[in-house]
Amino acid sequence: MELVKAAAGAGDPGGAQALAESIPLRQLRDQALVSLVPAWARAGEGDRAVALVEKIRYPHNWGWAWALLAKATADSGDIAEARGFAARADAEARRCAVDDMDEVLGLLVDVAVATGDHDRAAELADRVEEMARSRNPAGWFKPRPLAVVLAREARAGDFGRLDALLHPPPESAVGAGGRSCGWAPGEPGDRGRVWEGDLDGSAAHPVSARLPLDARDMACVLDAVDENAELDVALALAERAKTLLETGDGRDHDVLLRSLTLLLARHGQVERATALTQGLDLDLSMAQQADMVGELARSGDTDGAEALAHAITDRRAHDRALIEVVRRLVLRGDQGRAEVVARLIDDGWAQGEALLAVARGMARHGDPDDAETLTRSIACRGTRARALAALVELSEPPRARRLAAQVVVLGGWETALPVLERILPRSVAVVVDRMTS
């Protein structure tokens, strides 16, 4: 599979397909072919992509293949063709219901939005929600496609679907004492219970139930909202999450709390996020703060992130936080400060991870000599190999070949394979030809 991906990434989808078709295990072969469908489309070979979809053996892979083709075609700007492929994907998904059908529908929501068909996107979103509601109602599920749908709607200022999922179903009956069945705000112990029997409660007894969206599910929604969302959207979601934390039944409390603190941190609300971690177990609190540093750095506040990192007393969490600061400084082009911060990390492995990012940044900004020198100071052999591999991609051919030889010595061919095409053009194609001849 890795060589198939390497060949496709090197611009040789034909060789990649030949290699994929040589895989003896049918399901693995199907999976490899599915992954190549968008590669043909991106190469401008729409007919070859369609032909490949039709060669895929197992029906449960057809929906995914057509959906991936629809997405690649939409990204290329061919609206009419993308809608046609999306219709085929939907038809196949309906014909052969599989466990990941909601993920196929989630991808089709993206296609509908990309092609401007917002009515279709709303219809597909309703079906994603319906599947999420009906799947294992007595247990929890991770609603990745539904979370993406809810996050997209929230970014547009539409909280209707989310609020409906966060409240008891309207069809709940009246339970003992005239209370509505299930969870009522302010009554944590009642959430997740439905009362059956006479209205006066004489024969009532609790049975298993759950809200459509619980703490773990809400955490998935928060995770799907990136730093580009408007601050008012983030704060509105944060208030809903806090209410769920306060009135829920306590299950997966820490999962939602972590997602909530990260949401606030990546939108610059570090004081609010820190306040939420008060009272946590010390180890858990330190880990949460390290994660917050990363989100705060990604929001652009590297000064605040570094200050928060230095305030962390747990050494492992402290080092992990500083790595995130270094990576963000590198992306901002501040290589000098990034190296200074990296050198503050005492642990050899953690410092190596930070220096890898600095070396890559130096090479990207036209300083390959200093970048190569910097990699020599990385103590961990495997990390040094990965750093050299990163430099291969950014170096002129003579230096790239020399560095690649060192990568093979330090990390083996597996580490060198992703950059092999940079050293010897069409080398991956040669390997594929020899393997399939």
Side-chain angles (χ1 to χ4, degrees):
M1 286 289 290
E2 290 302 318
L3 192 53
V4 170
K5 294 177 184 177
D12 184 17
Q17 182 174 334
L19 184 60
E21 289 172 343
S22 72
I23 297 175
L25 295 177
R26 291 176 177 176
Q27 177 58 16
L28 291 179
R29 181 166 66 246
D30 251 24
Q31 291 173 0
L33 293 176
V34 169
S35 70
L36 291 176
V37 169
W40 278 117
R42 287 191 294 267
E45 298 282 354
D47 291 342
R48 297 286 296 271
V50 171
L52 180 57
V53 175
E54 293 172 345
K55 291 183 68 173
I56 292 171
R57 179 185 182 90
Y58 292 114
H60 64 266
N61 290 320
W62 294 344
W64 258 121
W66 286 112
L68 289 170
L69 179 54
K71 182 64 166 65
T73 306
D75 291 343
S76 71
D78 191 339
I79 303 303
E81 194 90 272
R83 288 179 176 175
F85 293 146
R88 288 288 301 271
D90 191 11
E92 296 297 347
R94 290 177 184 273
R95 184 177 298 117
C96 183
V98 293
D99 290 341
D100 59 356
M101 182 177 173
D102 54 345
E103 296 194 21
V104 174
L105 294 179
L107 183 56
L108 294 181
V109 172
D110 290 339
V111 174
V113 171
T115 58
D117 192 348
H118 298 289
D119 290 341
R120 176 65 171 159
E123 176 196 342
L124 289 165
D126 288 342
R127 288 169 58 194
V128 172
E129 179 189 340
E130 182 181 355
M131 291 193 68
R133 283 177 177 270
S134 63
R135 178 175 295 172
N136 192 18
W140 68 269
F141 59 93
K142 184 176 181 181
R144 193 190 67 80
L146 179 58
V148 173
V149 166
L150 293 171
R152 179 185 289 114
E153 291 177 346
R155 283 194 294 269
D158 180 3
F159 295 91
R161 188 190 308 273
L162 177 63
D163 287 340
L165 290 169
L166 286 172
H167 291 81
E171 62 269 22
S172 295
V174 176
R179 299 179 307 176
S180 86
C181 295
W183 168 61
E187 297 180 300
D190 285 345
R191 187 186 175 201
R193 308 171 87 189
V194 175
W195 295 89
E196 291 186 344
D198 298 334
L199 292 181
D200 62 3
S202 59
H205 61 276
V207 296
S208 175
R210 71 186 286 277
L211 289 179
L213 210 71
D214 64 12
R216 184 177 291 269
D217 303 334
M218 184 64 178
C220 295
V221 177
L222 301 188
D223 293 343
V225 178
D226 61 25
E227 65 274 11
N228 295 320
E230 296 293 335
L231 178 59
D232 58 346
V233 168
L235 294 180
L237 286 169
E239 286 304 314
R240 287 163 169 79
K242 285 174 63 179
T243 299
L244 186 54
L245 283 172
E246 293 165 359
T247 59
D249 61 7
R251 289 179 301 177
D252 300 314
H253 175 280
D254 291 344
V255 175
L256 178 54
L257 179 60
R258 178 181 182 277
S259 293
L260 174 56
T261 57
L262 296 187
L263 173 76
L264 290 169
R266 65 176 166 266
H267 286 86
Q269 304 295 303
V270 67
E271 292 184 3
R272 296 188 185 191
T274 302
L276 289 171
T277 66
Q278 302 299 319
L280 288 177
D281 172 83
L282 181 60
D283 290 341
L284 184 58
S285 175
M286 293 295 99
Q288 293 245 26
Q289 288 187 38
D291 291 335
M292 287 162 50
V293 167
E295 297 298 332
L296 186 59
R298 279 188 281 279
S299 75
D301 186 2
T302 51
D303 291 336
E306 185 178 352
L308 182 58
H310 287 306
I312 297 174
T313 56
D314 178 80
R315 179 53 54 186
R316 292 179 62 184
H318 171 269
D319 290 347
R320 182 158 60 87
L322 286 181
I323 290 173
E324 293 301 323
V325 174
V326 168
R327 289 171 175 167
R328 183 50 52 174
L329 287 170
V330 168
L331 290 177
R332 288 178 52 182
D334 194 347
Q335 318 304 328
R337 183 180 168 197
E339 183 176 357
V340 170
V341 175
R343 297 294 184 189
L344 297 175
I345 300 174
D346 293 329
D347 179 77
W349 179 88
Q351 185 184 89
E353 289 295 312
L355 291 176
L356 186 157
V358 178
R360 183 186 288 118
M362 287 179 172
R364 282 177 178 162
H365 285 81
D367 194 358
D369 292 334
D370 285 348
E372 185 176 345
T373 300
L374 186 63
T375 62
R376 310 297 176 197
S377 65
I378 296 177
C380 178
R381 183 185 181 96
T383 307
R384 189 158 72 251
R386 288 165 47 223
L388 290 171
L391 299 189
V392 169
E393 296 184 274
L394 301 166
S395 300
E396 293 300 318
R399 183 193 294 268
R401 286 191 289 269
R402 176 172 56 79
L403 294 176
Q406 297 175 40
V407 172
V408 173
V409 171
L410 289 170
W413 282 103
E414 184 177 354
T415 307
L417 182 60
V419 297
L420 191 59
E421 194 70 15
R422 176 70 179 83
I423 313 159
L424 299 170
R426 293 200 52 78
S427 56
V428 173
V430 171
V431 172
V432 170
D433 287 343
R434 291 186 178 179
M435 291 186 67
T436 57
S437 59

